[in-house]
Amino acid sequence: MSGLPATQMGAPAPEGGALIVAPKGGGQRQRMTRGQSIARVAILVVVLGYLILPLFAMLEFSTRGDFGSRSLDAFAAILGKQDLIDSLTTTLQIAVLTVVGMLLLLVPTMVWTIVRVPRMRRVIEFLCLLPLAIPAIVLVVGIAPIYRFMGQNFGKIGASPLTLALIDIVLVLPFAYRAIDASLRSIDTATLADAARSLGAGWVGTIVQVIMPNIRAGILSASVLAIALVLGEYTISSLLSFNTLQVVIVVLGKQDPFISVAVSFSALIFGFVLLVVIARVGAARRTNRQVEEPAV
Amino acid sequence: MTDSNPNVASNGHGVAVAFQDMHRWYGPVHALNGLSIDIAPGELIALLGPSGCGKTTALRALGGLDDVDQGRILVDGKDITNVPTNKRNMGIVFQAYSLFPNMTARDNVAYGLRLRGIDAAARKRKADETLELVGLGQQAGRYPHQMSGGQQQRVALARALAIEPKVLLLDEPLSALDAKVRRQLREEIRRIQIMIGITTLFVTHDQEEALAMGDRVGVMSAGRLEQIGPPSELYDRPKTRFVAEFVGLTNRIAATAQGGTVNVLGMAVPLLEGSDQSGPVDALVRPENVRLTPTDDGDARVAAVSFLGSLCRAQVTLPDETLVVAQMSASDARGLYPGAAVRVSVEPAPVFAVAA
């Protein structure tokens, strides 16, 4: 097999092809110069500093005790603030509703678009990205009358802060669309859906049993982004006078800055841990499917 | 055009399928233009044609994956034109690898059975049996990414067969595979199809595949069925210019037609039905019907000789610079080499002729 400088033909593959063997010694790793190494470390330090320094400052501030001592009183006090606990509970409920609502709205719509009306894909993408271009204050001005109407006509449910999930679903669309779209593009969605339907699956079965398990990474990313958005959303909640976590933190900050910063710090750590847990769950499920034998 | 083949033996599992005057428009494109085909129970029909001729549209319409704007589809005498895909009980193998990546080969095959409410033990037994049928009994626990393309398409075939479909639809299932695997798999598909006796529609743009597999081959162009018939009939007696030019290798040799015959390279040969019958024409002559005789006073020259195993193919330049391809057995090709002088003649087999 002359004339194959980059690769060598290996053993015959089981079905008549040939396995490609990576050339030994080929593609030697470029040696980094000392200057490049220093620049790399410097960039890493600057980025980590940018991310960690505010967290460190928050931790330092929120653990200040009397006479220069350290204290966890601000963190302990969180548990005693009922309005804080209530707002956290409400915010988490909104987060769950937002994730569920976003997935129910987006996944079937995107799958249907790909399978049945692919020419509408651009339109759906444009609609989903639209909230990025609309300032929150404009959204509130537009949506406030609807909330007023719901409050007046749908009793407790209409006036509940949980209705914020409706607007949070809209706000998270641009990010969730991108995450799910990337996953849908990584599989042949249309063919998988056709195959499932030809075998007897309905649309719900096709989406739940075939499509969703194969875009789990995108769904997890979209969910994390939705949770992060809800945990950090302040403007709309405040303008619509709902007591969510961020609103209560701001109010609290005016009364007791130590507790306010402790809550903010805890919320950040909570979000980070959530992100890691979700990422690890996704990775663990992928690993379970790996088999050590090579593909043939 | 409607045609059927009552001579195909069925073991009783196959059902009759009929396309009746089907039309499908995609905007200004008339993808199916009055397509009518009758498929006998247990028959394998290969639909052949260039890209965009409507063959896949016809298959998808039968599978319920695409709608038709006009016409009817009958399966076993029942009109299924408006029956949704998931209620049609059709087994489909797609061109693209379509195994569910999150499921093992066994789970893929058992998926359709699960949807039919078959219990787990029976599902597993049936899935394993079907995988055994396609020669992958040992691979049941593997995921699609751990299998080669050929293996994936075998599993896809097993998955389609496991639900005991009324009709098997094969949408260019071999086109992503390399040549050797294609040949193996097409023979295997044909063996299984005959064994089960299932009515099958096979769509391909590969002539060799269509001619090798089909009980009958339908040639499509621009949404219409040009001709349908047994492979030998299609090859030897094309009825339209498109079929004559599309199926098999063909030489275009300038000739003169008159009174049902055409004079090609000094030989009067009969014209096929549908040919232009008079005046200057191009005779479409198969390479195996071109005869070369090495002789010093020959007025043609061999340009190149290709060795194809048991056969040889020689390119010859005629005095008017026309390039003609001749095909012969390797033993008959002795004495042919680039530059050799030859005399060219044709066999007296009927040919198709088109206006020059």
mmCIF file of all heavy atoms in Angstrom, chain A residues 15 116 188 191-192 194-202 209-210 213-214 289 291 293 295-296, chain B residues 60 86 90 96 98-102 111 114-116 142-143 145-148 151 154 159 181:
data_model
loop_
_atom_site.group_PDB
_atom_site.id
_atom_site.type_symbol
_atom_site.label_atom_id
_atom_site.label_comp_id
_atom_site.label_asym_id
_atom_site.label_seq_id
_atom_site.Cartn_x
_atom_site.Cartn_y
_atom_site.Cartn_z
ATOM 1 N N GLU A 15 -16.453 -6.661 7.730
ATOM 2 C CA GLU A 15 -17.321 -6.691 6.558
ATOM 3 C C GLU A 15 -16.617 -6.226 5.306
ATOM 4 O O GLU A 15 -17.198 -5.651 4.407
ATOM 5 C CB GLU A 15 -18.561 -5.862 6.827
ATOM 6 C CG GLU A 15 -19.293 -6.400 8.024
ATOM 7 C CD GLU A 15 -20.765 -6.440 7.815
ATOM 8 O OE1 GLU A 15 -21.193 -6.473 6.663
ATOM 9 O OE2 GLU A 15 -21.484 -6.445 8.792
ATOM 10 N N ARG A 116 -41.974 17.934 10.091
ATOM 11 C CA ARG A 116 -43.109 18.217 9.203
ATOM 12 C C ARG A 116 -43.002 19.519 8.418
ATOM 13 O O ARG A 116 -43.485 19.593 7.296
ATOM 14 C CB ARG A 116 -44.426 18.223 10.005
ATOM 15 C CG ARG A 116 -44.721 16.940 10.715
ATOM 16 C CD ARG A 116 -44.890 15.779 9.759
ATOM 17 N NE ARG A 116 -46.159 15.800 9.061
ATOM 18 C CZ ARG A 116 -46.639 14.802 8.354
ATOM 19 N NH1 ARG A 116 -45.960 13.671 8.250
ATOM 20 N NH2 ARG A 116 -47.799 14.900 7.750
ATOM 21 N N ASP A 188 -30.140 12.613 13.669
ATOM 22 C CA ASP A 188 -30.990 12.742 12.485
ATOM 23 C C ASP A 188 -32.444 12.679 12.957
ATOM 24 O O ASP A 188 -33.105 11.642 12.872
ATOM 25 C CB ASP A 188 -30.667 11.613 11.499
ATOM 26 C CG ASP A 188 -31.346 11.817 10.149
ATOM 27 O OD1 ASP A 188 -32.273 12.636 10.075
ATOM 28 O OD2 ASP A 188 -30.940 11.148 9.185
ATOM 29 N N THR A 191 -35.332 11.403 10.557
ATOM 30 C CA THR A 191 -35.321 9.961 10.262
ATOM 31 C C THR A 191 -35.706 9.141 11.487
ATOM 32 O O THR A 191 -36.451 8.161 11.379
ATOM 33 C CB THR A 191 -33.933 9.535 9.749
ATOM 34 O OG1 THR A 191 -33.594 10.344 8.628
ATOM 35 C CG2 THR A 191 -33.929 8.087 9.315
ATOM 36 N N LEU A 192 -35.189 9.551 12.668
ATOM 37 C CA LEU A 192 -35.542 8.809 13.885
ATOM 38 C C LEU A 192 -37.052 8.887 14.136
ATOM 39 O O LEU A 192 -37.680 7.894 14.513
ATOM 40 C CB LEU A 192 -34.780 9.365 15.094
ATOM 41 C CG LEU A 192 -33.265 9.131 15.122
ATOM 42 C CD1 LEU A 192 -32.664 9.669 16.415
ATOM 43 C CD2 LEU A 192 -32.939 7.651 14.992
ATOM 44 N N ASP A 194 -39.399 9.419 11.859
ATOM 45 C CA ASP A 194 -40.063 8.600 10.832
ATOM 46 C C ASP A 194 -39.990 7.114 11.198
ATOM 47 O O ASP A 194 -40.971 6.375 11.054
ATOM 48 C CB ASP A 194 -39.386 8.813 9.468
ATOM 49 C CG ASP A 194 -39.812 10.125 8.815
ATOM 50 O OD1 ASP A 194 -40.770 10.749 9.304
ATOM 51 O OD2 ASP A 194 -39.167 10.524 7.827
ATOM 52 N N ALA A 195 -38.808 6.692 11.668
ATOM 53 C CA ALA A 195 -38.623 5.277 12.021
ATOM 54 C C ALA A 195 -39.553 4.897 13.171
ATOM 55 O O ALA A 195 -40.226 3.855 13.121
ATOM 56 C CB ALA A 195 -37.168 5.014 12.399
ATOM 57 N N ALA A 196 -39.595 5.743 14.196
ATOM 58 C CA ALA A 196 -40.442 5.437 15.359
ATOM 59 C C ALA A 196 -41.910 5.379 14.942
ATOM 60 O O ALA A 196 -42.653 4.481 15.346
ATOM 61 C CB ALA A 196 -40.236 6.488 16.446
ATOM 62 N N ARG A 197 -42.330 6.322 14.106
ATOM 63 C CA ARG A 197 -43.735 6.366 13.701
ATOM 64 C C ARG A 197 -44.083 5.170 12.820
ATOM 65 O O ARG A 197 -45.159 4.603 12.928
ATOM 66 C CB ARG A 197 -44.052 7.674 12.984
ATOM 67 C CG ARG A 197 -43.756 8.867 13.856
ATOM 68 C CD ARG A 197 -44.632 10.062 13.825
ATOM 69 N NE ARG A 197 -45.665 10.145 12.840
ATOM 70 C CZ ARG A 197 -46.956 9.907 13.085
ATOM 71 N NH1 ARG A 197 -47.329 9.526 14.287
ATOM 72 N NH2 ARG A 197 -47.844 10.045 12.136
ATOM 73 N N SER A 198 -43.133 4.778 11.967
ATOM 74 C CA SER A 198 -43.427 3.630 11.101
ATOM 75 C C SER A 198 -43.553 2.343 11.922
ATOM 76 O O SER A 198 -44.210 1.398 11.502
ATOM 77 C CB SER A 198 -42.342 3.470 10.036
ATOM 78 O OG SER A 198 -41.151 2.988 10.615
ATOM 79 N N LEU A 199 -42.918 2.328 13.092
ATOM 80 C CA LEU A 199 -43.001 1.133 13.938
ATOM 81 C C LEU A 199 -44.266 1.136 14.798
ATOM 82 O O LEU A 199 -44.522 0.184 15.525
ATOM 83 C CB LEU A 199 -41.761 1.038 14.831
ATOM 84 C CG LEU A 199 -40.469 0.700 14.080
ATOM 85 C CD1 LEU A 199 -39.252 0.952 14.959
ATOM 86 C CD2 LEU A 199 -40.482 -0.744 13.598
ATOM 87 N N GLY A 200 -44.999 2.239 14.755
ATOM 88 C CA GLY A 200 -46.282 2.271 15.470
ATOM 89 C C GLY A 200 -46.382 3.311 16.567
ATOM 90 O O GLY A 200 -47.398 3.380 17.255
ATOM 91 N N ALA A 201 -45.320 4.113 16.763
ATOM 92 C CA ALA A 201 -45.362 5.099 17.846
ATOM 93 C C ALA A 201 -46.181 6.318 17.436
ATOM 94 O O ALA A 201 -46.124 6.752 16.285
ATOM 95 C CB ALA A 201 -43.940 5.530 18.208
ATOM 96 N N GLY A 202 -46.928 6.873 18.383
ATOM 97 C CA GLY A 202 -47.608 8.150 18.164
ATOM 98 C C GLY A 202 -46.605 9.278 18.362
ATOM 99 O O GLY A 202 -45.439 9.031 18.672
ATOM 100 N N GLN A 209 -39.983 8.709 23.984
ATOM 101 C CA GLN A 209 -39.177 7.480 24.037
ATOM 102 C C GLN A 209 -37.965 7.509 23.111
ATOM 103 O O GLN A 209 -36.973 6.828 23.372
ATOM 104 C CB GLN A 209 -40.054 6.279 23.658
ATOM 105 C CG GLN A 209 -41.143 6.004 24.675
ATOM 106 C CD GLN A 209 -42.212 5.059 24.125
ATOM 107 O OE1 GLN A 209 -42.221 4.737 22.939
ATOM 108 N NE2 GLN A 209 -43.108 4.636 24.984
ATOM 109 N N VAL A 210 -38.037 8.277 22.046
ATOM 110 C CA VAL A 210 -36.953 8.222 21.056
ATOM 111 C C VAL A 210 -36.148 9.526 20.981
ATOM 112 O O VAL A 210 -34.923 9.502 21.078
ATOM 113 C CB VAL A 210 -37.523 7.864 19.654
ATOM 114 C CG1 VAL A 210 -36.441 7.954 18.586
ATOM 115 C CG2 VAL A 210 -38.114 6.465 19.684
ATOM 116 N N PRO A 213 -34.563 11.039 24.866
ATOM 117 C CA PRO A 213 -33.374 10.379 25.425
ATOM 118 C C PRO A 213 -32.096 10.684 24.633
ATOM 119 O O PRO A 213 -31.007 10.597 25.173
ATOM 120 C CB PRO A 213 -33.717 8.886 25.327
ATOM 121 C CG PRO A 213 -35.196 8.831 25.255
ATOM 122 C CD PRO A 213 -35.618 10.061 24.529
ATOM 123 N N ASN A 214 -32.265 11.038 23.367
ATOM 124 C CA ASN A 214 -31.083 11.293 22.545
ATOM 125 C C ASN A 214 -30.684 12.762 22.490
ATOM 126 O O ASN A 214 -29.693 13.110 21.845
ATOM 127 C CB ASN A 214 -31.322 10.758 21.125
ATOM 128 C CG ASN A 214 -31.346 9.243 21.123
ATOM 129 O OD1 ASN A 214 -30.389 8.602 21.518
ATOM 130 N ND2 ASN A 214 -32.465 8.671 20.722
ATOM 131 N N ARG A 289 -23.617 3.772 29.156
ATOM 132 C CA ARG A 289 -23.888 3.187 27.842
ATOM 133 C C ARG A 289 -22.631 2.794 27.095
ATOM 134 O O ARG A 289 -22.675 2.146 26.074
ATOM 135 C CB ARG A 289 -24.713 4.161 26.999
ATOM 136 C CG ARG A 289 -26.139 4.178 27.429
ATOM 137 C CD ARG A 289 -27.013 4.986 26.518
ATOM 138 N NE ARG A 289 -26.413 5.319 25.253
ATOM 139 C CZ ARG A 289 -26.658 6.452 24.625
ATOM 140 N NH1 ARG A 289 -27.432 7.345 25.166
ATOM 141 N NH2 ARG A 289 -26.121 6.698 23.463
ATOM 142 N N VAL A 291 -19.341 0.823 26.143
ATOM 143 C CA VAL A 291 -18.837 -0.538 26.300
ATOM 144 C C VAL A 291 -17.373 -0.501 25.905
ATOM 145 O O VAL A 291 -16.968 0.248 25.020
ATOM 146 C CB VAL A 291 -19.625 -1.516 25.395
ATOM 147 C CG1 VAL A 291 -19.018 -2.898 25.400
ATOM 148 C CG2 VAL A 291 -21.069 -1.593 25.858
ATOM 149 N N GLU A 293 -15.486 -2.610 24.450
ATOM 150 C CA GLU A 293 -15.064 -3.172 23.168
ATOM 151 C C GLU A 293 -15.046 -2.087 22.089
ATOM 152 O O GLU A 293 -15.875 -1.194 22.110
ATOM 153 C CB GLU A 293 -16.060 -4.250 22.727
ATOM 154 C CG GLU A 293 -16.112 -5.414 23.665
ATOM 155 C CD GLU A 293 -17.386 -6.191 23.462
ATOM 156 O OE1 GLU A 293 -17.384 -7.035 22.570
ATOM 157 O OE2 GLU A 293 -18.361 -5.952 24.165
ATOM 158 N N ALA A 295 -15.598 -0.319 18.448
ATOM 159 C CA ALA A 295 -16.643 -0.443 17.430
ATOM 160 C C ALA A 295 -16.122 -1.261 16.264
ATOM 161 O O ALA A 295 -14.956 -1.172 15.904
ATOM 162 C CB ALA A 295 -17.051 0.939 16.948
ATOM 163 N N VAL A 296 -16.979 -2.092 15.702
ATOM 164 C CA VAL A 296 -16.576 -2.883 14.527
ATOM 165 C C VAL A 296 -17.528 -2.600 13.390
ATOM 166 O O VAL A 296 -18.609 -2.128 13.586
ATOM 167 C CB VAL A 296 -16.571 -4.389 14.808
ATOM 168 C CG1 VAL A 296 -15.441 -4.754 15.748
ATOM 169 C CG2 VAL A 296 -17.907 -4.845 15.363
ATOM 170 N N ARG B 60 -42.426 6.928 0.356
ATOM 171 C CA ARG B 60 -42.862 7.614 1.585
ATOM 172 C C ARG B 60 -44.388 7.745 1.624
ATOM 173 O O ARG B 60 -44.990 7.701 2.690
ATOM 174 C CB ARG B 60 -42.189 8.985 1.695
ATOM 175 C CG ARG B 60 -40.680 8.866 1.994
ATOM 176 C CD ARG B 60 -40.033 10.235 2.066
ATOM 177 N NE ARG B 60 -40.533 11.034 3.162
ATOM 178 C CZ ARG B 60 -40.107 10.964 4.416
ATOM 179 N NH1 ARG B 60 -39.148 10.120 4.733
ATOM 180 N NH2 ARG B 60 -40.629 11.731 5.346
ATOM 181 N N ASN B 86 -48.417 5.458 11.759
ATOM 182 C CA ASN B 86 -48.275 4.499 12.857
ATOM 183 C C ASN B 86 -49.399 3.466 12.899
ATOM 184 O O ASN B 86 -49.384 2.571 13.742
ATOM 185 C CB ASN B 86 -48.159 5.227 14.205
ATOM 186 C CG ASN B 86 -49.300 6.185 14.468
ATOM 187 O OD1 ASN B 86 -49.930 6.673 13.538
ATOM 188 N ND2 ASN B 86 -49.572 6.447 15.723
ATOM 189 N N MET B 90 -46.276 -0.897 8.348
ATOM 190 C CA MET B 90 -45.287 -1.030 7.270
ATOM 191 C C MET B 90 -43.896 -1.071 7.912
ATOM 192 O O MET B 90 -43.610 -0.287 8.816
ATOM 193 C CB MET B 90 -45.332 0.189 6.344
ATOM 194 C CG MET B 90 -46.676 0.445 5.726
ATOM 195 S SD MET B 90 -46.817 -0.431 4.182
ATOM 196 C CE MET B 90 -48.498 -0.062 3.723
ATOM 197 N N ALA B 96 -30.584 6.690 5.578
ATOM 198 C CA ALA B 96 -29.714 7.112 6.684
ATOM 199 C C ALA B 96 -29.820 6.077 7.799
ATOM 200 O O ALA B 96 -30.831 5.385 7.915
ATOM 201 C CB ALA B 96 -30.161 8.472 7.181
ATOM 202 N N SER B 98 -30.841 4.713 10.980
ATOM 203 C CA SER B 98 -32.002 5.205 11.725
ATOM 204 C C SER B 98 -32.221 4.456 13.026
ATOM 205 O O SER B 98 -33.290 4.528 13.612
ATOM 206 C CB SER B 98 -33.248 5.067 10.848
ATOM 207 O OG SER B 98 -33.470 3.695 10.557
ATOM 208 N N LEU B 99 -31.209 3.708 13.480
ATOM 209 C CA LEU B 99 -31.381 3.016 14.755
ATOM 210 C C LEU B 99 -31.435 4.045 15.871
ATOM 211 O O LEU B 99 -30.756 5.081 15.805
ATOM 212 C CB LEU B 99 -30.223 2.046 14.999
ATOM 213 C CG LEU B 99 -30.099 0.883 14.019
ATOM 214 C CD1 LEU B 99 -29.005 -0.075 14.469
ATOM 215 C CD2 LEU B 99 -31.412 0.134 13.887
ATOM 216 N N PHE B 100 -32.204 3.758 16.905
ATOM 217 C CA PHE B 100 -32.304 4.683 18.023
ATOM 218 C C PHE B 100 -31.007 4.579 18.838
ATOM 219 O O PHE B 100 -30.711 3.517 19.400
ATOM 220 C CB PHE B 100 -33.519 4.345 18.882
ATOM 221 C CG PHE B 100 -34.800 4.237 18.075
ATOM 222 C CD1 PHE B 100 -35.706 3.211 18.285
ATOM 223 C CD2 PHE B 100 -35.082 5.175 17.088
ATOM 224 C CE1 PHE B 100 -36.862 3.112 17.536
ATOM 225 C CE2 PHE B 100 -36.244 5.091 16.327
ATOM 226 C CZ PHE B 100 -37.129 4.051 16.550
ATOM 227 N N PRO B 101 -30.240 5.659 18.925
ATOM 228 C CA PRO B 101 -28.908 5.566 19.534
ATOM 229 C C PRO B 101 -28.923 5.185 21.009
ATOM 230 O O PRO B 101 -27.946 4.665 21.520
ATOM 231 C CB PRO B 101 -28.341 6.986 19.370
ATOM 232 C CG PRO B 101 -29.149 7.624 18.301
ATOM 233 C CD PRO B 101 -30.506 7.000 18.381
ATOM 234 N N ASN B 102 -30.050 5.452 21.687
ATOM 235 C CA ASN B 102 -30.121 5.173 23.120
ATOM 236 C C ASN B 102 -30.521 3.739 23.420
ATOM 237 O O ASN B 102 -30.677 3.367 24.571
ATOM 238 C CB ASN B 102 -31.128 6.122 23.780
ATOM 239 C CG ASN B 102 -32.516 6.003 23.165
ATOM 240 O OD1 ASN B 102 -32.664 5.962 21.951
ATOM 241 N ND2 ASN B 102 -33.535 5.923 24.003
ATOM 242 N N TYR B 111 -38.617 -2.628 19.871
ATOM 243 C CA TYR B 111 -39.387 -1.398 20.101
ATOM 244 C C TYR B 111 -40.806 -1.479 19.520
ATOM 245 O O TYR B 111 -41.793 -1.179 20.196
ATOM 246 C CB TYR B 111 -38.644 -0.205 19.503
ATOM 247 C CG TYR B 111 -39.342 1.118 19.720
ATOM 248 C CD1 TYR B 111 -39.346 1.723 20.969
ATOM 249 C CD2 TYR B 111 -40.023 1.753 18.680
ATOM 250 C CE1 TYR B 111 -40.003 2.926 21.174
ATOM 251 C CE2 TYR B 111 -40.681 2.950 18.879
ATOM 252 C CZ TYR B 111 -40.662 3.534 20.118
ATOM 253 O OH TYR B 111 -41.323 4.726 20.322
ATOM 254 N N ARG B 114 -42.943 -3.739 21.548
ATOM 255 C CA ARG B 114 -43.363 -3.126 22.808
ATOM 256 C C ARG B 114 -44.597 -2.255 22.576
ATOM 257 O O ARG B 114 -45.534 -2.262 23.362
ATOM 258 C CB ARG B 114 -42.211 -2.272 23.365
ATOM 259 C CG ARG B 114 -42.404 -1.888 24.814
ATOM 260 C CD ARG B 114 -41.176 -1.212 25.346
ATOM 261 N NE ARG B 114 -41.127 0.190 24.965
ATOM 262 C CZ ARG B 114 -40.103 0.996 25.213
ATOM 263 N NH1 ARG B 114 -39.022 0.536 25.810
ATOM 264 N NH2 ARG B 114 -40.141 2.252 24.871
ATOM 265 N N LEU B 115 -44.581 -1.530 21.458
ATOM 266 C CA LEU B 115 -45.727 -0.665 21.141
ATOM 267 C C LEU B 115 -46.986 -1.477 20.858
ATOM 268 O O LEU B 115 -48.095 -0.968 20.974
ATOM 269 C CB LEU B 115 -45.404 0.209 19.920
ATOM 270 C CG LEU B 115 -44.291 1.238 20.106
ATOM 271 C CD1 LEU B 115 -43.931 1.876 18.776
ATOM 272 C CD2 LEU B 115 -44.702 2.314 21.099
ATOM 273 N N ARG B 116 -46.795 -2.748 20.520
ATOM 274 C CA ARG B 116 -47.948 -3.602 20.244
ATOM 275 C C ARG B 116 -48.382 -4.387 21.474
ATOM 276 O O ARG B 116 -49.206 -5.307 21.379
ATOM 277 C CB ARG B 116 -47.616 -4.556 19.089
ATOM 278 C CG ARG B 116 -47.678 -3.864 17.734
ATOM 279 C CD ARG B 116 -46.881 -4.562 16.674
ATOM 280 N NE ARG B 116 -46.989 -3.853 15.388
ATOM 281 C CZ ARG B 116 -46.371 -2.705 15.105
ATOM 282 N NH1 ARG B 116 -45.578 -2.136 16.018
ATOM 283 N NH2 ARG B 116 -46.521 -2.109 13.941
ATOM 284 N N ARG B 142 -25.331 -4.795 21.700
ATOM 285 C CA ARG B 142 -24.523 -3.645 21.276
ATOM 286 C C ARG B 142 -25.388 -2.436 20.942
ATOM 287 O O ARG B 142 -26.502 -2.579 20.463
ATOM 288 C CB ARG B 142 -23.692 -4.004 20.055
ATOM 289 C CG ARG B 142 -22.590 -4.966 20.402
ATOM 290 C CD ARG B 142 -21.664 -5.151 19.237
ATOM 291 N NE ARG B 142 -20.557 -5.993 19.655
ATOM 292 C CZ ARG B 142 -19.281 -5.681 19.500
ATOM 293 N NH1 ARG B 142 -18.957 -4.561 18.921
ATOM 294 N NH2 ARG B 142 -18.338 -6.492 19.910
ATOM 295 N N TYR B 143 -24.785 -1.267 21.184
ATOM 296 C CA TYR B 143 -25.447 -0.020 20.796
ATOM 297 C C TYR B 143 -25.067 0.317 19.349
ATOM 298 O O TYR B 143 -24.025 -0.128 18.864
ATOM 299 C CB TYR B 143 -25.020 1.118 21.725
ATOM 300 C CG TYR B 143 -25.696 1.047 23.074
ATOM 301 C CD1 TYR B 143 -25.088 0.393 24.142
ATOM 302 C CD2 TYR B 143 -26.951 1.603 23.269
ATOM 303 C CE1 TYR B 143 -25.713 0.306 25.378
ATOM 304 C CE2 TYR B 143 -27.583 1.520 24.497
ATOM 305 C CZ TYR B 143 -26.961 0.874 25.546
ATOM 306 O OH TYR B 143 -27.590 0.783 26.752
ATOM 307 N N HIS B 145 -23.662 2.819 17.973
ATOM 308 C CA HIS B 145 -22.333 3.378 17.745
ATOM 309 C C HIS B 145 -21.234 2.329 17.876
ATOM 310 O O HIS B 145 -20.073 2.608 17.570
ATOM 311 C CB HIS B 145 -22.073 4.558 18.693
ATOM 312 C CG HIS B 145 -21.860 4.161 20.123
ATOM 313 N ND1 HIS B 145 -22.894 3.987 21.003
ATOM 314 C CD2 HIS B 145 -20.725 3.894 20.810
ATOM 315 C CE1 HIS B 145 -22.397 3.632 22.176
ATOM 316 N NE2 HIS B 145 -21.092 3.568 22.094
ATOM 317 N N GLN B 146 -21.597 1.133 18.321
ATOM 318 C CA GLN B 146 -20.598 0.062 18.428
ATOM 319 C C GLN B 146 -20.688 -0.889 17.238
ATOM 320 O O GLN B 146 -20.052 -1.939 17.243
ATOM 321 C CB GLN B 146 -20.834 -0.718 19.726
ATOM 322 C CG GLN B 146 -20.591 0.137 20.957
ATOM 323 C CD GLN B 146 -21.123 -0.510 22.217
ATOM 324 O OE1 GLN B 146 -22.097 -1.249 22.175
ATOM 325 N NE2 GLN B 146 -20.467 -0.241 23.321
ATOM 326 N N MET B 147 -21.487 -0.531 16.244
ATOM 327 C CA MET B 147 -21.648 -1.410 15.081
ATOM 328 C C MET B 147 -21.239 -0.703 13.791
ATOM 329 O O MET B 147 -21.297 0.525 13.711
ATOM 330 C CB MET B 147 -23.119 -1.846 14.976
ATOM 331 C CG MET B 147 -23.529 -2.791 16.088
ATOM 332 S SD MET B 147 -25.191 -3.443 15.852
ATOM 333 C CE MET B 147 -26.146 -2.105 16.465
ATOM 334 N N SER B 148 -20.838 -1.482 12.797
ATOM 335 C CA SER B 148 -20.493 -0.908 11.491
ATOM 336 C C SER B 148 -21.786 -0.513 10.757
ATOM 337 O O SER B 148 -22.894 -0.890 11.176
ATOM 338 C CB SER B 148 -19.731 -1.935 10.667
ATOM 339 O OG SER B 148 -20.585 -3.012 10.344
ATOM 340 N N GLN B 151 -23.803 -3.528 9.705
ATOM 341 C CA GLN B 151 -24.502 -4.160 10.828
ATOM 342 C C GLN B 151 -25.720 -3.336 11.235
ATOM 343 O O GLN B 151 -26.787 -3.878 11.536
ATOM 344 C CB GLN B 151 -23.544 -4.322 12.008
ATOM 345 C CG GLN B 151 -22.497 -5.403 11.778
ATOM 346 C CD GLN B 151 -21.450 -5.442 12.876
ATOM 347 O OE1 GLN B 151 -21.156 -4.429 13.518
ATOM 348 N NE2 GLN B 151 -20.874 -6.605 13.091
ATOM 349 N N ARG B 154 -28.502 -4.001 8.932
ATOM 350 C CA ARG B 154 -29.100 -5.322 9.181
ATOM 351 C C ARG B 154 -30.060 -5.246 10.367
ATOM 352 O O ARG B 154 -31.143 -5.831 10.351
ATOM 353 C CB ARG B 154 -28.019 -6.349 9.517
ATOM 354 C CG ARG B 154 -27.247 -6.859 8.330
ATOM 355 C CD ARG B 154 -26.028 -7.604 8.859
ATOM 356 N NE ARG B 154 -25.011 -7.702 7.847
ATOM 357 C CZ ARG B 154 -24.641 -8.847 7.277
ATOM 358 N NH1 ARG B 154 -25.206 -9.963 7.643
ATOM 359 N NH2 ARG B 154 -23.717 -8.856 6.366
ATOM 360 N N ARG B 159 -35.448 -4.862 12.627
ATOM 361 C CA ARG B 159 -36.454 -4.057 13.329
ATOM 362 C C ARG B 159 -37.718 -3.917 12.477
ATOM 363 O O ARG B 159 -38.834 -3.978 12.976
ATOM 364 C CB ARG B 159 -35.858 -2.681 13.642
ATOM 365 C CG ARG B 159 -36.760 -1.786 14.457
ATOM 366 C CD ARG B 159 -36.080 -0.482 14.801
ATOM 367 N NE ARG B 159 -35.845 0.340 13.617
ATOM 368 C CZ ARG B 159 -35.268 1.537 13.654
ATOM 369 N NH1 ARG B 159 -34.853 2.028 14.810
ATOM 370 N NH2 ARG B 159 -35.086 2.237 12.556
ATOM 371 N N VAL B 181 -19.879 -4.768 0.958
ATOM 372 C CA VAL B 181 -20.969 -4.954 1.925
ATOM 373 C C VAL B 181 -22.319 -4.802 1.228
ATOM 374 O O VAL B 181 -23.264 -5.533 1.516
ATOM 375 C CB VAL B 181 -20.835 -3.927 3.077
ATOM 376 C CG1 VAL B 181 -21.941 -4.116 4.093
ATOM 377 C CG2 VAL B 181 -19.481 -4.072 3.750
#
